PDB file of all heavy atoms in Angstrom:
ATOM      1  N   SER A   1     -32.833 -27.385  -7.932  1.00 97.00           N
ATOM      2  CA  SER A   1     -31.931 -28.225  -7.140  1.00 97.00           C
ATOM      3  C   SER A   1     -30.635 -27.490  -6.806  1.00 97.00           C
ATOM      4  O   SER A   1     -30.088 -27.626  -5.706  1.00 97.00           O
ATOM      5  CB  SER A   1     -31.627 -29.536  -7.867  1.00 97.00           C
ATOM      6  OG  SER A   1     -30.892 -29.314  -9.048  1.00 97.00           O
ATOM      7  N   THR A   2     -30.149 -26.674  -7.747  1.00 97.00           N
ATOM      8  CA  THR A   2     -28.943 -25.876  -7.489  1.00 97.00           C
ATOM      9  C   THR A   2     -29.222 -24.841  -6.410  1.00 97.00           C
ATOM     10  O   THR A   2     -28.402 -24.634  -5.498  1.00 97.00           O
ATOM     11  CB  THR A   2     -28.464 -25.176  -8.782  1.00 97.00           C
ATOM     12  OG1 THR A   2     -28.199 -26.149  -9.775  1.00 97.00           O
ATOM     13  CG2 THR A   2     -27.209 -24.360  -8.519  1.00 97.00           C
ATOM     14  N   LEU A   3     -30.366 -24.192  -6.498  1.00 97.00           N
ATOM     15  CA  LEU A   3     -30.729 -23.188  -5.500  1.00 97.00           C
ATOM     16  C   LEU A   3     -30.888 -23.809  -4.125  1.00 97.00           C
ATOM     17  O   LEU A   3     -30.521 -23.209  -3.107  1.00 97.00           O
ATOM     18  CB  LEU A   3     -32.021 -22.477  -5.921  1.00 97.00           C
ATOM     19  CG  LEU A   3     -31.914 -21.575  -7.157  1.00 97.00           C
ATOM     20  CD1 LEU A   3     -33.295 -21.125  -7.612  1.00 97.00           C
ATOM     21  CD2 LEU A   3     -31.033 -20.371  -6.868  1.00 97.00           C
ATOM     22  N   THR A   4     -31.431 -25.005  -4.067  1.00 96.00           N
ATOM     23  CA  THR A   4     -31.586 -25.698  -2.785  1.00 96.00           C
ATOM     24  C   THR A   4     -30.227 -25.952  -2.147  1.00 96.00           C
ATOM     25  O   THR A   4     -30.033 -25.735  -0.945  1.00 96.00           O
ATOM     26  CB  THR A   4     -32.331 -27.031  -2.983  1.00 96.00           C
ATOM     27  OG1 THR A   4     -33.626 -26.779  -3.525  1.00 96.00           O
ATOM     28  CG2 THR A   4     -32.483 -27.762  -1.653  1.00 96.00           C
ATOM     29  N   LYS A   5     -29.259 -26.392  -2.949  1.00 95.00           N
ATOM     30  CA  LYS A   5     -27.909 -26.645  -2.433  1.00 95.00           C
ATOM     31  C   LYS A   5     -27.234 -25.347  -1.985  1.00 95.00           C
ATOM     32  O   LYS A   5     -26.564 -25.300  -0.951  1.00 95.00           O
ATOM     33  CB  LYS A   5     -27.051 -27.313  -3.507  1.00 95.00           C
ATOM     34  CG  LYS A   5     -27.477 -28.720  -3.875  1.00 95.00           C
ATOM     35  CD  LYS A   5     -26.633 -29.225  -5.044  1.00 95.00           C
ATOM     36  CE  LYS A   5     -27.129 -30.573  -5.537  1.00 95.00           C
ATOM     37  NZ  LYS A   5     -26.374 -31.021  -6.743  1.00 95.00           N
ATOM     38  N   LEU A   6     -27.409 -24.299  -2.773  1.00 96.00           N
ATOM     39  CA  LEU A   6     -26.731 -23.031  -2.499  1.00 96.00           C
ATOM     40  C   LEU A   6     -27.346 -22.268  -1.327  1.00 96.00           C
ATOM     41  O   LEU A   6     -26.637 -21.667  -0.522  1.00 96.00           O
ATOM     42  CB  LEU A   6     -26.761 -22.134  -3.735  1.00 96.00           C
ATOM     43  CG  LEU A   6     -25.698 -22.358  -4.798  1.00 96.00           C
ATOM     44  CD1 LEU A   6     -26.028 -21.558  -6.045  1.00 96.00           C
ATOM     45  CD2 LEU A   6     -24.325 -21.962  -4.274  1.00 96.00           C
ATOM     46  N   LEU A   7     -28.683 -22.270  -1.257  1.00 96.00           N
ATOM     47  CA  LEU A   7     -29.380 -21.355  -0.348  1.00 96.00           C
ATOM     48  C   LEU A   7     -30.137 -22.034   0.774  1.00 96.00           C
ATOM     49  O   LEU A   7     -30.657 -21.359   1.662  1.00 96.00           O
ATOM     50  CB  LEU A   7     -30.368 -20.484  -1.143  1.00 96.00           C
ATOM     51  CG  LEU A   7     -29.857 -19.814  -2.421  1.00 96.00           C
ATOM     52  CD1 LEU A   7     -30.966 -18.987  -3.039  1.00 96.00           C
ATOM     53  CD2 LEU A   7     -28.641 -18.956  -2.133  1.00 96.00           C
ATOM     54  N   SER A   8     -30.232 -23.361   0.735  1.00 94.00           N
ATOM     55  CA  SER A   8     -31.014 -24.105   1.743  1.00 94.00           C
ATOM     56  C   SER A   8     -32.451 -23.586   1.795  1.00 94.00           C
ATOM     57  O   SER A   8     -32.971 -23.265   2.865  1.00 94.00           O
ATOM     58  CB  SER A   8     -30.357 -24.015   3.122  1.00 94.00           C
ATOM     59  OG  SER A   8     -29.051 -24.521   3.087  1.00 94.00           O
ATOM     60  N   VAL A   9     -33.085 -23.494   0.625  1.00 95.00           N
ATOM     61  CA  VAL A   9     -34.432 -22.947   0.511  1.00 95.00           C
ATOM     62  C   VAL A   9     -35.431 -24.059   0.188  1.00 95.00           C
ATOM     63  O   VAL A   9     -35.050 -25.140  -0.256  1.00 95.00           O
ATOM     64  CB  VAL A   9     -34.499 -21.856  -0.577  1.00 95.00           C
ATOM     65  CG1 VAL A   9     -33.790 -20.598  -0.111  1.00 95.00           C
ATOM     66  CG2 VAL A   9     -33.898 -22.367  -1.893  1.00 95.00           C
ATOM     67  N   PRO A  10     -36.740 -23.794   0.392  1.00 95.00           N
ATOM     68  CA  PRO A  10     -37.769 -24.805   0.104  1.00 95.00           C
ATOM     69  C   PRO A  10     -37.814 -25.176  -1.378  1.00 95.00           C
ATOM     70  O   PRO A  10     -37.301 -24.461  -2.240  1.00 95.00           O
ATOM     71  CB  PRO A  10     -39.071 -24.113   0.530  1.00 95.00           C
ATOM     72  CG  PRO A  10     -38.652 -23.044   1.471  1.00 95.00           C
ATOM     73  CD  PRO A  10     -37.307 -22.590   1.023  1.00 95.00           C
ATOM     74  N   SER A  11     -38.486 -26.284  -1.687  1.00 96.00           N
ATOM     75  CA  SER A  11     -38.525 -26.834  -3.037  1.00 96.00           C
ATOM     76  C   SER A  11     -39.323 -25.974  -4.017  1.00 96.00           C
ATOM     77  O   SER A  11     -39.238 -26.180  -5.234  1.00 96.00           O
ATOM     78  CB  SER A  11     -39.108 -28.249  -3.018  1.00 96.00           C
ATOM     79  OG  SER A  11     -40.417 -28.238  -2.469  1.00 96.00           O
ATOM     80  N   ASP A  12     -40.114 -25.033  -3.503  1.00 97.00           N
ATOM     81  CA  ASP A  12     -40.882 -24.152  -4.392  1.00 97.00           C
ATOM     82  C   ASP A  12     -40.252 -22.762  -4.529  1.00 97.00           C
ATOM     83  O   ASP A  12     -40.879 -21.823  -5.029  1.00 97.00           O
ATOM     84  CB  ASP A  12     -42.322 -24.015  -3.900  1.00 97.00           C
ATOM     85  CG  ASP A  12     -42.411 -23.393  -2.507  1.00 97.00           C
ATOM     86  OD1 ASP A  12     -41.359 -23.255  -1.837  1.00 97.00           O
ATOM     87  OD2 ASP A  12     -43.529 -23.051  -2.085  1.00 97.00           O
ATOM     88  N   TYR A  13     -38.996 -22.637  -4.107  1.00 97.00           N
ATOM     89  CA  TYR A  13     -38.338 -21.316  -4.097  1.00 97.00           C
ATOM     90  C   TYR A  13     -38.256 -20.715  -5.498  1.00 97.00           C
ATOM     91  O   TYR A  13     -38.619 -19.554  -5.706  1.00 97.00           O
ATOM     92  CB  TYR A  13     -36.936 -21.436  -3.499  1.00 97.00           C
ATOM     93  CG  TYR A  13     -36.168 -20.129  -3.465  1.00 97.00           C
ATOM     94  CD1 TYR A  13     -36.461 -19.155  -2.513  1.00 97.00           C
ATOM     95  CD2 TYR A  13     -35.151 -19.859  -4.383  1.00 97.00           C
ATOM     96  CE1 TYR A  13     -35.762 -17.950  -2.478  1.00 97.00           C
ATOM     97  CE2 TYR A  13     -34.451 -18.670  -4.359  1.00 97.00           C
ATOM     98  CZ  TYR A  13     -34.758 -17.711  -3.402  1.00 97.00           C
ATOM     99  OH  TYR A  13     -34.081 -16.526  -3.385  1.00 97.00           O
ATOM    100  N   TRP A  14     -37.790 -21.496  -6.481  1.00 97.00           N
ATOM    101  CA  TRP A  14     -37.630 -20.938  -7.824  1.00 97.00           C
ATOM    102  C   TRP A  14     -38.977 -20.499  -8.379  1.00 97.00           C
ATOM    103  O   TRP A  14     -39.088 -19.445  -9.006  1.00 97.00           O
ATOM    104  CB  TRP A  14     -36.954 -21.918  -8.773  1.00 97.00           C
ATOM    105  CG  TRP A  14     -37.121 -21.493 -10.200  1.00 97.00           C
ATOM    106  CD1 TRP A  14     -37.739 -22.163 -11.195  1.00 97.00           C
ATOM    107  CD2 TRP A  14     -36.696 -20.248 -10.775  1.00 97.00           C
ATOM    108  NE1 TRP A  14     -37.739 -21.432 -12.367  1.00 97.00           N
ATOM    109  CE2 TRP A  14     -37.094 -20.235 -12.120  1.00 97.00           C
ATOM    110  CE3 TRP A  14     -36.019 -19.133 -10.276  1.00 97.00           C
ATOM    111  CZ2 TRP A  14     -36.851 -19.187 -12.985  1.00 97.00           C
ATOM    112  CZ3 TRP A  14     -35.772 -18.068 -11.130  1.00 97.00           C
ATOM    113  CH2 TRP A  14     -36.176 -18.091 -12.462  1.00 97.00           C
ATOM    114  N   LYS A  15     -40.005 -21.277  -8.138  1.00 97.00           N
ATOM    115  CA  LYS A  15     -41.339 -20.924  -8.630  1.00 97.00           C
ATOM    116  C   LYS A  15     -41.769 -19.574  -8.066  1.00 97.00           C
ATOM    117  O   LYS A  15     -42.315 -18.719  -8.788  1.00 97.00           O
ATOM    118  CB  LYS A  15     -42.335 -22.012  -8.226  1.00 97.00           C
ATOM    119  CG  LYS A  15     -43.757 -21.766  -8.719  1.00 97.00           C
ATOM    120  CD  LYS A  15     -44.676 -22.911  -8.296  1.00 97.00           C
ATOM    121  CE  LYS A  15     -46.110 -22.660  -8.759  1.00 97.00           C
ATOM    122  NZ  LYS A  15     -47.016 -23.755  -8.337  1.00 97.00           N
ATOM    123  N   LYS A  16     -41.479 -19.331  -6.790  1.00 98.00           N
ATOM    124  CA  LYS A  16     -41.867 -18.065  -6.149  1.00 98.00           C
ATOM    125  C   LYS A  16     -41.012 -16.899  -6.650  1.00 98.00           C
ATOM    126  O   LYS A  16     -41.521 -15.788  -6.858  1.00 98.00           O
ATOM    127  CB  LYS A  16     -41.752 -18.199  -4.629  1.00 98.00           C
ATOM    128  CG  LYS A  16     -42.807 -19.101  -4.009  1.00 98.00           C
ATOM    129  CD  LYS A  16     -42.663 -19.139  -2.494  1.00 98.00           C
ATOM    130  CE  LYS A  16     -43.778 -19.965  -1.862  1.00 98.00           C
ATOM    131  NZ  LYS A  16     -43.645 -20.030  -0.387  1.00 98.00           N
ATOM    132  N   ILE A  17     -39.721 -17.130  -6.832  1.00 98.00           N
ATOM    133  CA  ILE A  17     -38.845 -16.065  -7.329  1.00 98.00           C
ATOM    134  C   ILE A  17     -39.211 -15.706  -8.770  1.00 98.00           C
ATOM    135  O   ILE A  17     -39.243 -14.518  -9.152  1.00 98.00           O
ATOM    136  CB  ILE A  17     -37.360 -16.482  -7.238  1.00 98.00           C
ATOM    137  CG1 ILE A  17     -36.885 -16.422  -5.782  1.00 98.00           C
ATOM    138  CG2 ILE A  17     -36.476 -15.578  -8.093  1.00 98.00           C
ATOM    139  CD1 ILE A  17     -36.812 -15.037  -5.183  1.00 98.00           C
ATOM    140  N   ASP A  18     -39.499 -16.710  -9.576  1.00 98.00           N
ATOM    141  CA  ASP A  18     -39.936 -16.472 -10.950  1.00 98.00           C
ATOM    142  C   ASP A  18     -41.200 -15.607 -10.951  1.00 98.00           C
ATOM    143  O   ASP A  18     -41.307 -14.648 -11.729  1.00 98.00           O
ATOM    144  CB  ASP A  18     -40.195 -17.809 -11.635  1.00 98.00           C
ATOM    145  CG  ASP A  18     -40.776 -17.654 -13.031  1.00 98.00           C
ATOM    146  OD1 ASP A  18     -40.227 -16.856 -13.808  1.00 98.00           O
ATOM    147  OD2 ASP A  18     -41.781 -18.323 -13.341  1.00 98.00           O
ATOM    148  N   HIS A  19     -42.138 -15.911 -10.084  1.00 98.00           N
ATOM    149  CA  HIS A  19     -43.369 -15.119  -9.971  1.00 98.00           C
ATOM    150  C   HIS A  19     -43.040 -13.678  -9.562  1.00 98.00           C
ATOM    151  O   HIS A  19     -43.601 -12.717 -10.116  1.00 98.00           O
ATOM    152  CB  HIS A  19     -44.294 -15.757  -8.939  1.00 98.00           C
ATOM    153  CG  HIS A  19     -45.554 -14.983  -8.686  1.00 98.00           C
ATOM    154  ND1 HIS A  19     -46.673 -15.079  -9.490  1.00 98.00           N
ATOM    155  CD2 HIS A  19     -45.864 -14.059  -7.721  1.00 98.00           C
ATOM    156  CE1 HIS A  19     -47.620 -14.265  -9.040  1.00 98.00           C
ATOM    157  NE2 HIS A  19     -47.152 -13.646  -7.962  1.00 98.00           N
ATOM    158  N   SER A  20     -42.114 -13.529  -8.603  1.00 98.00           N
ATOM    159  CA  SER A  20     -41.721 -12.192  -8.130  1.00 98.00           C
ATOM    160  C   SER A  20     -41.134 -11.356  -9.260  1.00 98.00           C
ATOM    161  O   SER A  20     -41.453 -10.169  -9.418  1.00 98.00           O
ATOM    162  CB  SER A  20     -40.698 -12.315  -6.989  1.00 98.00           C
ATOM    163  OG  SER A  20     -41.221 -13.028  -5.895  1.00 98.00           O
ATOM    164  N   ILE A  21     -40.254 -11.964 -10.048  1.00 98.00           N
ATOM    165  CA  ILE A  21     -39.602 -11.243 -11.146  1.00 98.00           C
ATOM    166  C   ILE A  21     -40.632 -10.857 -12.216  1.00 98.00           C
ATOM    167  O   ILE A  21     -40.632  -9.725 -12.721  1.00 98.00           O
ATOM    168  CB  ILE A  21     -38.465 -12.092 -11.742  1.00 98.00           C
ATOM    169  CG1 ILE A  21     -37.310 -12.182 -10.739  1.00 98.00           C
ATOM    170  CG2 ILE A  21     -37.978 -11.506 -13.064  1.00 98.00           C
ATOM    171  CD1 ILE A  21     -36.190 -13.113 -11.157  1.00 98.00           C
ATOM    172  N   ARG A  22     -41.515 -11.774 -12.555  1.00 98.00           N
ATOM    173  CA  ARG A  22     -42.520 -11.495 -13.580  1.00 98.00           C
ATOM    174  C   ARG A  22     -43.454 -10.360 -13.139  1.00 98.00           C
ATOM    175  O   ARG A  22     -43.774  -9.464 -13.935  1.00 98.00           O
ATOM    176  CB  ARG A  22     -43.320 -12.760 -13.886  1.00 98.00           C
ATOM    177  CG  ARG A  22     -42.508 -13.828 -14.594  1.00 98.00           C
ATOM    178  CD  ARG A  22     -43.319 -15.087 -14.859  1.00 98.00           C
ATOM    179  NE  ARG A  22     -42.480 -16.140 -15.404  1.00 98.00           N
ATOM    180  CZ  ARG A  22     -42.132 -16.254 -16.678  1.00 98.00           C
ATOM    181  NH1 ARG A  22     -42.576 -15.366 -17.562  1.00 98.00           N
ATOM    182  NH2 ARG A  22     -41.359 -17.243 -17.085  1.00 98.00           N
ATOM    183  N   LYS A  23     -43.892 -10.395 -11.896  1.00 98.00           N
ATOM    184  CA  LYS A  23     -44.805  -9.372 -11.400  1.00 98.00           C
ATOM    185  C   LYS A  23     -44.101  -8.022 -11.241  1.00 98.00           C
ATOM    186  O   LYS A  23     -44.704  -6.965 -11.451  1.00 98.00           O
ATOM    187  CB  LYS A  23     -45.422  -9.811 -10.072  1.00 98.00           C
ATOM    188  CG  LYS A  23     -46.398 -10.984 -10.210  1.00 98.00           C
ATOM    189  CD  LYS A  23     -47.551 -10.615 -11.147  1.00 98.00           C
ATOM    190  CE  LYS A  23     -48.545 -11.748 -11.307  1.00 98.00           C
ATOM    191  NZ  LYS A  23     -49.661 -11.414 -12.232  1.00 98.00           N
ATOM    192  N   THR A  24     -42.825  -8.046 -10.868  1.00 98.00           N
ATOM    193  CA  THR A  24     -42.042  -6.811 -10.793  1.00 98.00           C
ATOM    194  C   THR A  24     -41.949  -6.174 -12.172  1.00 98.00           C
ATOM    195  O   THR A  24     -42.124  -4.961 -12.341  1.00 98.00           O
ATOM    196  CB  THR A  24     -40.623  -7.097 -10.244  1.00 98.00           C
ATOM    197  OG1 THR A  24     -40.732  -7.622  -8.918  1.00 98.00           O
ATOM    198  CG2 THR A  24     -39.778  -5.832 -10.215  1.00 98.00           C
ATOM    199  N   ASN A  25     -41.695  -6.996 -13.175  1.00 98.00           N
ATOM    200  CA  ASN A  25     -41.613  -6.513 -14.554  1.00 98.00           C
ATOM    201  C   ASN A  25     -42.958  -5.964 -15.022  1.00 98.00           C
ATOM    202  O   ASN A  25     -43.024  -4.889 -15.638  1.00 98.00           O
ATOM    203  CB  ASN A  25     -41.161  -7.651 -15.465  1.00 98.00           C
ATOM    204  CG  ASN A  25     -40.899  -7.196 -16.889  1.00 98.00           C
ATOM    205  OD1 ASN A  25     -39.929  -6.495 -17.150  1.00 98.00           O
ATOM    206  ND2 ASN A  25     -41.764  -7.593 -17.814  1.00 98.00           N
ATOM    207  N   GLU A  26     -44.045  -6.665 -14.725  1.00 97.00           N
ATOM    208  CA  GLU A  26     -45.378  -6.212 -15.131  1.00 97.00           C
ATOM    209  C   GLU A  26     -45.733  -4.873 -14.493  1.00 97.00           C
ATOM    210  O   GLU A  26     -46.445  -4.052 -15.089  1.00 97.00           O
ATOM    211  CB  GLU A  26     -46.427  -7.258 -14.743  1.00 97.00           C
ATOM    212  CG  GLU A  26     -46.382  -8.510 -15.600  1.00 97.00           C
ATOM    213  CD  GLU A  26     -47.365  -9.572 -15.115  1.00 97.00           C
ATOM    214  OE1 GLU A  26     -48.245  -9.230 -14.284  1.00 97.00           O
ATOM    215  OE2 GLU A  26     -47.251 -10.735 -15.556  1.00 97.00           O
ATOM    216  N   ALA A  27     -45.221  -4.643 -13.272  1.00 97.00           N
ATOM    217  CA  ALA A  27     -45.506  -3.397 -12.568  1.00 97.00           C
ATOM    218  C   ALA A  27     -44.682  -2.232 -13.103  1.00 97.00           C
ATOM    219  O   ALA A  27     -44.875  -1.078 -12.690  1.00 97.00           O
ATOM    220  CB  ALA A  27     -45.250  -3.569 -11.077  1.00 97.00           C
ATOM    221  N   GLY A  28     -43.733  -2.523 -13.999  1.00 97.00           N
ATOM    222  CA  GLY A  28     -42.898  -1.457 -14.554  1.00 97.00           C
ATOM    223  C   GLY A  28     -41.781  -1.032 -13.630  1.00 97.00           C
ATOM    224  O   GLY A  28     -41.191   0.048 -13.808  1.00 97.00           O
ATOM    225  N   ILE A  29     -41.464  -1.868 -12.645  1.00 97.00           N
ATOM    226  CA  ILE A  29     -40.355  -1.578 -11.732  1.00 97.00           C
ATOM    227  C   ILE A  29     -39.091  -2.223 -12.299  1.00 97.00           C
ATOM    228  O   ILE A  29     -39.067  -3.430 -12.566  1.00 97.00           O
ATOM    229  CB  ILE A  29     -40.636  -2.122 -10.319  1.00 97.00           C
ATOM    230  CG1 ILE A  29     -41.870  -1.444  -9.738  1.00 97.00           C
ATOM    231  CG2 ILE A  29     -39.433  -1.915  -9.412  1.00 97.00           C
ATOM    232  CD1 ILE A  29     -42.347  -2.054  -8.430  1.00 97.00           C
ATOM    233  N   HIS A  30     -38.059  -1.442 -12.498  1.00 98.00           N
ATOM    234  CA  HIS A  30     -36.821  -1.971 -13.050  1.00 98.00           C
ATOM    235  C   HIS A  30     -36.083  -2.808 -12.017  1.00 98.00           C
ATOM    236  O   HIS A  30     -36.216  -2.594 -10.813  1.00 98.00           O
ATOM    237  CB  HIS A  30     -35.932  -0.833 -13.550  1.00 98.00           C
ATOM    238  CG  HIS A  30     -36.406  -0.252 -14.847  1.00 98.00           C
ATOM    239  ND1 HIS A  30     -35.731  -0.411 -16.029  1.00 98.00           N
ATOM    240  CD2 HIS A  30     -37.522   0.456 -15.165  1.00 98.00           C
ATOM    241  CE1 HIS A  30     -36.381   0.177 -17.001  1.00 98.00           C
ATOM    242  NE2 HIS A  30     -37.482   0.722 -16.501  1.00 98.00           N
ATOM    243  N   PHE A  31     -35.303  -3.758 -12.506  1.00 98.00           N
ATOM    244  CA  PHE A  31     -34.544  -4.605 -11.586  1.00 98.00           C
ATOM    245  C   PHE A  31     -33.229  -5.033 -12.211  1.00 98.00           C
ATOM    246  O   PHE A  31     -33.094  -5.119 -13.434  1.00 98.00           O
ATOM    247  CB  PHE A  31     -35.372  -5.845 -11.177  1.00 98.00           C
ATOM    248  CG  PHE A  31     -35.666  -6.804 -12.294  1.00 98.00           C
ATOM    249  CD1 PHE A  31     -34.852  -7.904 -12.522  1.00 98.00           C
ATOM    250  CD2 PHE A  31     -36.772  -6.613 -13.120  1.00 98.00           C
ATOM    251  CE1 PHE A  31     -35.123  -8.805 -13.548  1.00 98.00           C
ATOM    252  CE2 PHE A  31     -37.054  -7.506 -14.148  1.00 98.00           C
ATOM    253  CZ  PHE A  31     -36.233  -8.602 -14.365  1.00 98.00           C
ATOM    254  N   ARG A  32     -32.263  -5.224 -11.361  1.00 97.00           N
ATOM    255  CA  ARG A  32     -30.979  -5.786 -11.765  1.00 97.00           C
ATOM    256  C   ARG A  32     -30.759  -7.056 -10.957  1.00 97.00           C
ATOM    257  O   ARG A  32     -31.448  -7.294  -9.961  1.00 97.00           O
ATOM    258  CB  ARG A  32     -29.827  -4.792 -11.559  1.00 97.00           C
ATOM    259  CG  ARG A  32     -29.459  -4.537 -10.121  1.00 97.00           C
ATOM    260  CD  ARG A  32     -28.265  -3.589  -9.991  1.00 97.00           C
ATOM    261  NE  ARG A  32     -27.102  -4.033 -10.736  1.00 97.00           N
ATOM    262  CZ  ARG A  32     -26.234  -4.929 -10.291  1.00 97.00           C
ATOM    263  NH1 ARG A  32     -26.390  -5.498  -9.109  1.00 97.00           N
ATOM    264  NH2 ARG A  32     -25.187  -5.257 -11.021  1.00 97.00           N
ATOM    265  N   VAL A  33     -29.793  -7.855 -11.365  1.00 98.00           N
ATOM    266  CA  VAL A  33     -29.524  -9.130 -10.708  1.00 98.00           C
ATOM    267  C   VAL A  33     -28.036  -9.232 -10.398  1.00 98.00           C
ATOM    268  O   VAL A  33     -27.192  -8.863 -11.223  1.00 98.00           O
ATOM    269  CB  VAL A  33     -29.966 -10.315 -11.586  1.00 98.00           C
ATOM    270  CG1 VAL A  33     -29.493 -11.647 -11.005  1.00 98.00           C
ATOM    271  CG2 VAL A  33     -31.488 -10.317 -11.747  1.00 98.00           C
ATOM    272  N   ASN A  34     -27.740  -9.703  -9.206  1.00 97.00           N
ATOM    273  CA  ASN A  34     -26.362  -9.991  -8.825  1.00 97.00           C
ATOM    274  C   ASN A  34     -26.228 -11.501  -8.698  1.00 97.00           C
ATOM    275  O   ASN A  34     -27.046 -12.157  -8.042  1.00 97.00           O
ATOM    276  CB  ASN A  34     -26.006  -9.316  -7.504  1.00 97.00           C
ATOM    277  CG  ASN A  34     -24.528  -9.433  -7.196  1.00 97.00           C
ATOM    278  OD1 ASN A  34     -23.692  -9.011  -7.982  1.00 97.00           O
ATOM    279  ND2 ASN A  34     -24.199 -10.015  -6.054  1.00 97.00           N
ATOM    280  N   SER A  35     -25.218 -12.071  -9.342  1.00 97.00           N
ATOM    281  CA  SER A  35     -25.068 -13.522  -9.369  1.00 97.00           C
ATOM    282  C   SER A  35     -23.624 -13.907  -9.078  1.00 97.00           C
ATOM    283  O   SER A  35     -22.692 -13.300  -9.595  1.00 97.00           O
ATOM    284  CB  SER A  35     -25.479 -14.054 -10.752  1.00 97.00           C
ATOM    285  OG  SER A  35     -25.526 -15.454 -10.768  1.00 97.00           O
ATOM    286  N   LEU A  36     -23.452 -14.930  -8.239  1.00 96.00           N
ATOM    287  CA  LEU A  36     -22.117 -15.384  -7.859  1.00 96.00           C
ATOM    288  C   LEU A  36     -21.867 -16.803  -8.361  1.00 96.00           C
ATOM    289  O   LEU A  36     -22.729 -17.682  -8.264  1.00 96.00           O
ATOM    290  CB  LEU A  36     -21.959 -15.354  -6.337  1.00 96.00           C
ATOM    291  CG  LEU A  36     -21.953 -13.968  -5.689  1.00 96.00           C
ATOM    292  CD1 LEU A  36     -21.925 -14.092  -4.173  1.00 96.00           C
ATOM    293  CD2 LEU A  36     -20.755 -13.150  -6.173  1.00 96.00           C
ATOM    294  N   ILE A  37     -20.658 -17.007  -8.895  1.00 96.00           N
ATOM    295  CA  ILE A  37     -20.247 -18.326  -9.360  1.00 96.00           C
ATOM    296  C   ILE A  37     -19.553 -19.046  -8.206  1.00 96.00           C
ATOM    297  O   ILE A  37     -18.566 -18.560  -7.654  1.00 96.00           O
ATOM    298  CB  ILE A  37     -19.285 -18.223 -10.566  1.00 96.00           C
ATOM    299  CG1 ILE A  37     -19.954 -17.473 -11.716  1.00 96.00           C
ATOM    300  CG2 ILE A  37     -18.831 -19.613 -11.001  1.00 96.00           C
ATOM    301  CD1 ILE A  37     -21.203 -18.118 -12.243  1.00 96.00           C
ATOM    302  N   THR A  38     -20.093 -20.194  -7.848  1.00 95.00           N
ATOM    303  CA  THR A  38     -19.541 -21.009  -6.774  1.00 95.00           C
ATOM    304  C   THR A  38     -19.208 -22.396  -7.322  1.00 95.00           C
ATOM    305  O   THR A  38     -19.424 -22.695  -8.502  1.00 95.00           O
ATOM    306  CB  THR A  38     -20.556 -21.165  -5.626  1.00 95.00           C
ATOM    307  OG1 THR A  38     -21.609 -22.029  -6.069  1.00 95.00           O
ATOM    308  CG2 THR A  38     -21.150 -19.821  -5.221  1.00 95.00           C
ATOM    309  N   ASN A  39     -18.754 -23.260  -6.450  1.00 94.00           N
ATOM    310  CA  ASN A  39     -18.481 -24.636  -6.834  1.00 94.00           C
ATOM    311  C   ASN A  39     -19.755 -25.370  -7.243  1.00 94.00           C
ATOM    312  O   ASN A  39     -19.702 -26.364  -7.959  1.00 94.00           O
ATOM    313  CB  ASN A  39     -17.810 -25.361  -5.663  1.00 94.00           C
ATOM    314  CG  ASN A  39     -17.231 -26.690  -6.058  1.00 94.00           C
ATOM    315  OD1 ASN A  39     -16.692 -26.840  -7.151  1.00 94.00           O
ATOM    316  ND2 ASN A  39     -17.353 -27.675  -5.187  1.00 94.00           N
ATOM    317  N   TYR A  40     -20.913 -24.858  -6.806  1.00 95.00           N
ATOM    318  CA  TYR A  40     -22.183 -25.533  -7.064  1.00 95.00           C
ATOM    319  C   TYR A  40     -22.847 -25.106  -8.374  1.00 95.00           C
ATOM    320  O   TYR A  40     -23.736 -25.805  -8.862  1.00 95.00           O
ATOM    321  CB  TYR A  40     -23.155 -25.265  -5.912  1.00 95.00           C
ATOM    322  CG  TYR A  40     -22.696 -25.815  -4.583  1.00 95.00           C
ATOM    323  CD1 TYR A  40     -22.033 -25.008  -3.669  1.00 95.00           C
ATOM    324  CD2 TYR A  40     -22.914 -27.147  -4.248  1.00 95.00           C
ATOM    325  CE1 TYR A  40     -21.600 -25.504  -2.451  1.00 95.00           C
ATOM    326  CE2 TYR A  40     -22.483 -27.657  -3.025  1.00 95.00           C
ATOM    327  CZ  TYR A  40     -21.818 -26.827  -2.131  1.00 95.00           C
ATOM    328  OH  TYR A  40     -21.395 -27.326  -0.926  1.00 95.00           O
TER     329      TYR A  40
END
C-alpha cells in the first residue's frame, strides 16, 4: 500500500520486486538498494 501511494504502481508490484530480488540473489549477482524517506 505504501508503494502504491509512492510509485503509482499495480497491486502486485511488491510481489514482483520480491521475486526479482530473490532471483537476482540466487543468480549470484550482487545488488545494492537506494531508499528515500518521504512523508509517506
Side-chain angles (χ1 to χ4, degrees):
S1 66
T2 302
L3 292 170
T4 300
K5 293 175 186 176
L6 277 170
L7 312 181
S8 302
V9 288
S11 59
D12 62 349
Y13 179 76
W14 165 241
K15 182 179 179 181
K16 289 182 176 179
I17 285 292
D18 175 48
H19 177 83
S20 300
I21 290 174
R22 291 179 186 278
K23 291 300 180 181
T24 298
N25 186 71
E26 288 175 13
I29 298 172
H30 285 249
F31 66 95
R32 71 177 305 277
V33 171
N34 188 57
S35 188
L36 292 175
I37 301 299
T38 71
N39 192 38
Y40 297 96

